Amino acid sequence: MFSLSELVCLNERQSRFELLKPWWEVFMDHLVILMLMVSVLAGTVLLLRDRVVCLPLDPNTTPNTISQSSSASGDVALACNSDKPSSKDSSQVPQDSSPNGSPAQGRRTHLDYQQYMFVSQVCYNEVLPWYSRFFPYVALLQSLVLLASGSFWFHFPLTSARIEHFLAILGKCCESPWTSRALSHAARQENMDSQQEEEAERRHPQPPYLSTSSIPPVPYARHSSLDSGTDSPLLKRSETVCAANPLLPCPSSLSYNFSMSAMSFASEVHVPVSRPSVVLHDSPRQLVTLDRSDGEQARALFERVRRFRSHCESSDVIYKVYLAQTIFKLLMVILIVGYTIPLLGTISFTHICHPEEHFLVGYSTFECTHVLASLLHKMLVAYLTLLGLYGLLNLYTLIWILHSSLRQYSFHALKDTCSLRDVPNLSNDLAFLLHMADQHDPLLSWRLSVFLSPVSETRLLEENLQRRWGPEKLRSMTTVDAEGRSRLQLVALPCLPPAVFTLSQLQVLKLDLLTDAKFTAQVANMTSLRELHLYHCTAAVDPGALGVLQERLETLHLTFTQAAEIPGWVYSLHSLQELHLSGCLGCESGVGRGWALGSLRQLRHLRVLVIQSMLQRVPGELCEVAGSLVRLEIHNEGSQMLVLRGLRQMAGLTELHLQGCQLERLPSALLALTNLRTLDLQHNNLRTLEELLSLAHLRRLSCLRLADNRVLALPATIGVLQGLELLDLTNNQLQSLPPALFTLHHLRRLLLAGNLLEELPAQVKALQLLTELDLSGNRLERLPPELFSSCLELRILNVSLNSLSSLPTGLGALSQLFRLDLRRNCLEELPEELVYCSGLYGGGLLVEDCLFQLLPCHVRDCLSRSCPPSGKSSELHSRPESGGDGFPYFSATQWRFSSAMESRI
């Protein structure tokens, strides 16, 4: 037995399918039910009253002769040669008389009741046509087949899951308050557009021949169906559908926000201006923002609709099944009508029967009457009429399917009546389902279109972001960098929160992986914004915001994949001073075609340009800003740069960084850079520095970085660079240092870590201005005493990872020394003179614990103090560390050697 709950679920499921049944499907369902009722009624009558009545027939006797013979003699003589009974039997049959004494009329048959019953049963089976006996059952079977084929596409395994999913999504779209919000917004937009058009027509009236008075006005009944008030006929129809279907949400069952949006829409589109609902529309409280749960549900519904669309548009199985179902039903109707119409004439009232058992009754011919022949004939005509209507509807359905493009849906009706003009075109199964839903109620497809609209999704994201990322939260996320600037970083957001534009004190904005960032005119409120970072972020700028960014933005960092992702508005920022580009800019012939978006000539104030890419030559576009550019950095990521001639036109450069360019020699283009102060050629393939002589005219060159190359020897021509203050030869293959190196009397920082040096010449005493010396990672066995007696300005000394066995005397003379690294050597003891280096107090000495414990107690105590006894070195401790080249400041508890510190050094 079926439980009541199971029957209720079945009823709800069937009622939910009605949303995809057009009017002809509903009409055909009613026709099938009527055919079932006709067949059941005919079967019931057939079971209760189906019989035939048979009488013997004398073919040689007419009714006149029978009446005459019966009136003359009173006996009915059977004039039949083969059917005549014996004389003995006939003489024994008594004559009947009427109650008043007159003789009986008619023909005597000499048959009793049982013989009549026997003859009727035999003739019913032998003479009565089979269609007269089984018509109700055949009709019932045919009706059941048509009923099952009518809903086959709802239950077919390949289509039922998609249809169930579509109906579930459709129900969620109708329940969501965001649906009415979006449709109301579209109606308001359209109303505003229409008002603007009317005002334009009033201001500029059309000529008489173009007047629209002769054109009949377009009815707005279709407009009012968009979530309108109770006056809307379409809404009334939706309420009727909702009453029949509990799963379809009615407008009255939605939230308060939903009702308010509906009222506002009705007031703008359908209700006159004098109605009170207009006050709700004009009130700022009308646009009630969704709460967090409704917003999250709407966002999840957008994602669900997107996945369902991608799944359904890949095939058209529902369309094919419905087409096959329609063709099958039409063929069934043709088949049924084809064999039923010839059988219609066999249903007759009278039948002649010749039973073979005439020796039992004495007669061979009987005339039989079918009792239900007339009724069955009328029922069959009614059944064929219903079947004909059913077939005509199937023919109409087939014509509609073949004539209409049901695998394409373009929302033309929606675009004509609403302002949601961005709804994409649909195809295959989803388009077919929407066509079927349109035939039931266009409001259903309109509600689903809200969750197919990119504009609606963007508006929802903006509201969600505005709710979740408010001004207070953004202010709490704002940090201060090393330069004292306020900075905010937003990562992996769908769009830019509108609350960002309220941060007037923000100076640095970093946007990482934002899918849709848009700067509006409200960026004018960010009066302190000077630096912008866009990491794989496609940013759009409104015309009102572009002027603000052109005036205020000074630094811009762009990280992209292809050059086509660089926004075009970047090249119009005429106040920009620093531009950092990281991404693919090159092509086979260089940058000329790869960097194809714009020109740099409008960046008149650009002073710093940093490019991290894989270039083959210096971009020709850089010549457009060569006059203002003072710093150029190219990080080529290990790709060889072949052409550097473009550098010759940048005579104003003061800093040049060419890292990872696979350079094997010093570029000859450096001859033109007479104002160069910093030259950075790290991470290249330089083996020889013989071209240093050509740099003699670079009299302003003060910083030369040649780290991470393969330099084997430092030539004597290094002495021509008398203005050098920093020389970085870290991680090369130097085995010795030329005497000319120590003629650079202005040298303050000498970095020689990671080489093959075995000794440090005594000529180092000539570098009296030296403040930092890095000799870590070499093969030194001793240090010259002249280093400690002459280089009294030395503040940072790193001799770790060498083979030093002892330290020379005179170390205590380095009163300015505040960082000394002696780790990973062969030292057996430390000199007590360290106590005179007050700058090492508080952790400036980096050495193994075992060596530190060998020092006298008073020396250990002094070196372990957090503050030096004299205030002389306090100034040294307060000095800013030399960025990446200095050494970390350790406390007394961090003297033990660590691999992390070694890797940093």
Side-chain angles (χ1 to χ4, degrees):
M1 297 295 293
F2 295 103
S3 63
L4 184 59
S5 61
E6 293 177 351
L7 294 178
V8 170
C9 295
L10 183 61
N11 186 26
E12 291 179 353
R13 184 179 181 184
Q14 293 295 334
S15 61
R16 211 166 42 159
F17 285 147
E18 292 180 359
L19 298 179
L20 295 179
K21 287 187 176 181
W23 63 268
W24 57 81
E25 287 284 346
V26 178
F27 198 10
M28 283 192 287
D29 289 344
H30 293 320
L31 289 177
V32 171
I33 292 175
L34 289 177
M35 287 188 285
L36 282 172
M37 294 176 63
V38 170
S39 61
V40 170
L41 178 61
T44 304
V45 173
L46 200 65
L47 289 174
L48 296 178
R49 298 181 54 192
D50 189 29
R51 63 191 180 92
V52 295
V53 178
C54 299
L55 293 177
L57 180 65
D58 185 6
N60 297 326
T61 304
T62 63
N64 294 329
T65 58
I66 293 176
S67 62
Q68 292 176 1
S69 60
S70 59
S71 62
S73 59
D75 296 330
V76 179
L78 300 177
C80 181
N81 297 330
S82 60
D83 297 342
K84 185 178 181 179
S86 61
S87 60
K88 182 179 179 180
D89 296 335
S90 62
S91 62
Q92 296 178 356
V93 176
Q95 294 181 357
D96 295 335
S97 61
S98 62
N100 53 8
S102 60
Q105 300 295 326
R107 181 167 59 87
R108 189 176 299 277
T109 60
H110 306 287
L111 296 177
D112 56 10
Y113 179 74
Q114 296 295 332
Q115 288 175 324
Y116 280 117
M117 291 294 294
F118 173 76
V119 171
S120 296
Q121 293 295 332
V122 171
C123 290
Y124 180 83
N125 292 314
E126 292 185 357
V127 179
L128 195 65
W130 71 271
Y131 200 67
S132 299
R133 291 178 291 165
F134 301 106
F135 152 67
Y137 312 113
V138 174
L140 178 63
L141 181 60
Q142 294 169 172
S143 301
L144 291 176
V145 172
L146 293 178
L147 180 63
S149 61
S151 60
F152 175 74
W153 70 302
F154 291 133
H155 307 284
F156 186 60
L158 297 179
T159 60
S160 60
R162 293 187 179 184
I163 295 176
E164 289 282 350
H165 197 184
F166 175 77
L167 292 176
I169 289 178
L170 199 59
K172 293 293 184 181
C173 293
C174 294
E175 292 174 0
S176 176
W178 179 252
T179 307
S180 298
R181 287 285 308 280
L183 293 179
S184 300
H185 179 82
R188 285 193 298 271
Q189 185 75 21
E190 184 186 4
N191 193 21
M192 293 174 59
D193 295 341
S194 62
Q195 292 178 359
Q196 292 177 358
E197 291 178 359
E198 292 177 359
E199 292 179 359
E201 290 179 358
R202 282 197 224 89
R203 295 176 181 177
H204 306 283
Q206 296 180 354
Y209 58 86
L210 293 179
S211 176
T212 58
S213 59
S214 60
I215 302 177
V218 180
Y220 280 86
R222 194 172 183 86
H223 291 250
S224 62
S225 65
L226 287 175
D227 218 8
S228 59
T230 56
D231 298 334
S232 173
L234 185 55
L235 187 58
K236 292 180 180 179
R237 183 173 62 176
S238 301
E239 292 178 353
T240 305
V241 176
C242 293
N245 183 10
L247 293 181
L248 182 63
C250 297
S252 60
S253 64
L254 297 179
S255 62
Y256 178 74
N257 298 340
F258 185 96
S259 302
M260 294 288 287
S261 300
M263 292 174 63
S264 66
F265 180 82
S267 65
E268 294 174 356
V269 179
H270 186 72
V271 185
V273 180
S274 60
R275 295 190 62 172
S277 58
V278 177
V279 178
L280 293 176
H281 167 66
D282 294 335
S283 175
R285 301 176 59 184
Q286 172 63 23
L287 294 177
V288 182
T289 57
L290 301 179
D291 55 12
R292 182 173 182 180
S293 60
D294 290 338
E296 292 296 334
Q297 290 176 2
R299 182 69 186 92
L301 190 55
F302 269 105
E303 186 64 26
R304 186 176 179 183
V305 170
R306 184 182 296 108
R307 291 197 301 266
F308 180 75
R309 179 189 175 188
S310 62
H311 178 65
C312 279
E313 287 190 319
S314 60
S315 64
D316 54 353
V317 61
I318 300 179
Y319 171 82
K320 293 179 179 179
V321 169
Y322 187 80
L323 178 61
Q325 168 186 303
T326 305
I327 296 175
F328 174 78
K329 291 190 295 183
L330 186 60
L331 293 178
M332 280 288 298
V333 171
I334 295 175
L335 179 62
I336 293 172
V337 172
Y339 74 78
T340 302
I341 290 180
L343 296 176
L344 182 63
T346 61
I347 301 179
S348 176
F349 184 75
T350 59
H351 300 277
I352 302 299
C353 177
H354 302 281
E356 297 180 357
E357 293 81 0
H358 63 276
F359 56 87
L360 295 177
V361 294
Y363 296 93
S364 60
T365 304
F366 286 84
E367 184 176 358
C368 301
T369 301
H370 188 205
V371 178
L372 298 179
S374 178
L375 181 61
L376 290 179
H377 190 275
K378 293 182 176 62
M379 287 187 173
L380 181 57
V381 172
Y383 179 81
L384 289 177
T385 302
L386 296 175
L387 189 64
L389 292 176
Y390 187 87
L392 291 177
L393 289 176
N394 276 281
L395 182 61
Y396 171 81
T397 305
L398 186 61
I399 294 174
W400 178 73
I401 293 174
L402 299 178
H403 181 266
S404 305
S405 180
L406 301 183
R407 285 181 287 187
Q408 297 292 330
Y409 195 94
S410 59
F411 288 95
H412 288 303
L414 183 63
K415 294 178 182 178
D416 293 339
T417 57
C418 294
S419 298
L420 294 174
R421 306 181 186 277
D422 65 308
V423 182
N425 295 334
L426 306 177
S427 60
N428 290 335
D429 281 343
L430 184 56
F432 176 73
L433 290 174
L434 281 177
H435 278 293
M436 300 301 287
D438 267 348
Q439 298 299 320
H440 181 81
D441 191 350
L443 183 61
L444 299 176
S445 60
W446 292 348
R447 289 183 175 273
L448 181 61
S449 67
V450 172
F451 294 90
L452 291 168
S453 169
V455 171
S456 178
E457 184 176 8
T458 302
R459 191 177 299 116
L460 175 63
L461 291 177
E462 291 177 355
E463 290 197 8
N464 288 342
L465 285 173
Q466 189 172 5
R467 182 178 60 253
R468 294 179 56 188
W469 299 85
E472 296 181 358
K473 183 176 181 179
L474 293 178
R475 289 191 184 96
S476 63
M477 296 175 58
T478 303
T479 59
V480 179
D481 58 9
E483 300 178 4
R485 301 177 303 174
S486 58
R487 182 180 64 180
L488 175 63
Q489 183 174 8
L490 300 176
V491 182
L493 294 182
C495 61
L496 188 62
V500 172
F501 303 122
T502 62
L503 305 178
S504 58
Q505 303 299 325
L506 188 65
Q507 294 176 308
V508 181
L509 179 59
K510 301 183 69 174
L511 305 179
D512 297 353
L513 302 175
L514 266 68
T515 55
D516 185 14
K518 186 175 183 180
F519 291 91
T520 62
Q522 297 179 357
V523 75
N525 300 328
M526 308 178 69
T527 55
S528 302
L529 184 63
R530 295 296 180 269
E531 184 173 338
L532 179 62
H533 295 248
L534 299 177
Y535 178 80
H536 293 286
C537 175
T538 303
V541 176
D542 289 344
L546 182 58
V548 177
L549 294 179
Q550 288 176 345
E551 294 178 0
R552 300 178 182 175
L553 204 60
E554 298 177 356
T555 305
L556 179 61
H557 293 252
L558 290 177
T559 303
F560 48 87
T561 304
Q562 299 293 333
E565 300 176 8
I566 302 178
W569 53 267
V570 171
Y571 302 102
S572 62
L573 301 176
H574 51 74
S575 297
L576 197 66
Q577 297 182 7
E578 293 188 24
L579 179 60
H580 299 252
L581 301 175
S582 178
C584 182
L585 290 172
C587 59
E588 294 181 356
S589 59
V591 178
R593 295 185 179 180
W595 199 345
L597 272 183
S599 173
L600 300 177
R601 64 172 58 94
Q602 299 185 29
L603 306 181
R604 300 185 298 271
H605 300 284
L606 190 65
R607 300 179 60 83
V608 178
L609 179 60
V610 180
I611 301 176
Q612 184 174 354
S613 183
M614 301 177 65
L615 306 178
Q616 296 182 2
R617 65 181 182 89
V618 175
E621 289 81 358
L622 300 185
C623 301
E624 300 173 356
V625 292
S628 61
L629 203 63
V630 297
R631 178 181 173 186
L632 175 62
E633 293 188 20
I634 298 179
H635 304 267
N636 219 33
E637 300 181 356
S639 180
Q640 187 175 10
M641 183 174 289
L642 302 176
V643 182
L644 296 171
R645 291 191 299 268
L647 295 176
R648 297 178 179 178
Q649 302 180 13
M650 304 177 189
L653 281 182
T654 59
E655 294 187 29
L656 177 61
H657 301 257
L658 300 176
Q659 298 185 13
C661 298
Q662 298 296 318
L663 300 178
E664 298 181 355
R665 307 174 68 89
L666 293 178
S668 59
L670 298 177
L671 299 175
L673 307 180
T674 56
N675 295 321
L676 200 63
R677 295 182 181 179
T678 300
L679 179 60
D680 188 350
L681 300 177
Q682 300 182 79
H683 302 282
N684 284 284
N685 289 331
L686 298 176
R687 292 179 175 271
T688 178
L689 299 177
E690 297 297 335
E691 296 84 358
L692 285 176
L693 184 60
S694 61
L695 304 181
H697 63 287
L698 302 181
R699 302 185 182 278
R700 298 185 180 183
L701 187 64
S702 60
C703 177
L704 179 60
R705 295 182 180 272
L706 302 173
D708 296 289
N709 281 278
R710 291 190 253 178
V711 179
L712 300 176
L714 191 62
T717 54
I718 189 66
V720 300
L721 304 177
Q722 290 295 318
L724 277 185
E725 296 181 3
L726 185 147
L727 179 60
D728 186 2
L729 291 168
T730 305
N731 294 331
N732 280 279
Q733 300 177 11
L734 299 177
Q735 298 182 4
S736 62
L737 298 176
L741 175 62
F742 305 104
T743 62
L744 305 177
H745 301 294
H746 293 87
L747 198 63
R748 295 179 179 272
R749 300 177 62 191
L750 181 59
L751 308 179
L752 300 171
N755 283 278
L756 304 176
L757 299 176
E758 296 182 355
E759 64 174 349
L760 181 63
Q763 291 90 337
V764 71
K765 65 181 180 181
L767 305 178
Q768 297 182 1
L769 298 180
L770 196 64
T771 59
E772 181 179 351
L773 178 61
D774 187 1
L775 297 170
S776 60
N778 282 278
R779 302 175 181 179
L780 298 177
E781 296 181 355
R782 67 180 186 87
L783 293 176
E786 292 80 2
L787 177 63
F788 302 137
S789 61
S790 300
C791 301
L792 300 181
E793 298 293 329
L794 199 61
R795 299 177 183 179
I796 300 175
L797 177 60
N798 186 359
V799 290
S800 61
L801 294 172
N802 281 280
S803 303
L804 299 177
S805 58
S806 62
L807 295 176
T809 59
L811 182 59
L814 301 179
S815 59
Q816 303 291 337
L817 190 66
F818 70 91
R819 191 163 301 174
L820 176 61
D821 193 350
L822 300 174
R823 296 173 297 178
R824 289 294 185 93
N825 281 282
C826 302
L827 297 175
E828 297 180 355
E829 60 179 358
L830 296 175
E832 297 181 7
E833 300 177 54
L834 291 174
V835 72
Y836 301 109
C837 299
S838 58
L840 298 179
Y841 291 178
L845 177 64
L846 303 179
V847 71
E848 287 83 358
D849 285 346
C850 58
L851 287 176
F852 184 75
Q853 295 300 328
L854 296 178
L855 289 171
C857 295
H858 69 281
V859 178
R860 293 202 307 268
D861 293 341
C862 291
L863 293 175
S864 301
R865 293 176 184 175
S866 58
C867 295
S870 62
K872 184 178 181 180
S873 60
S874 60
E875 181 183 355
L876 300 177
H877 284 226
S878 63
R879 290 178 177 269
E881 299 179 3
S882 55
D885 301 321
F887 302 102
Y889 187 78
F890 281 81
S891 63
T893 59
Q894 293 175 317
W895 284 335
R896 187 176 300 274
F897 174 78
S898 62
S899 59
M901 181 55 61
E902 178 184 355
S903 62
R904 181 172 179 179
I905 294 174

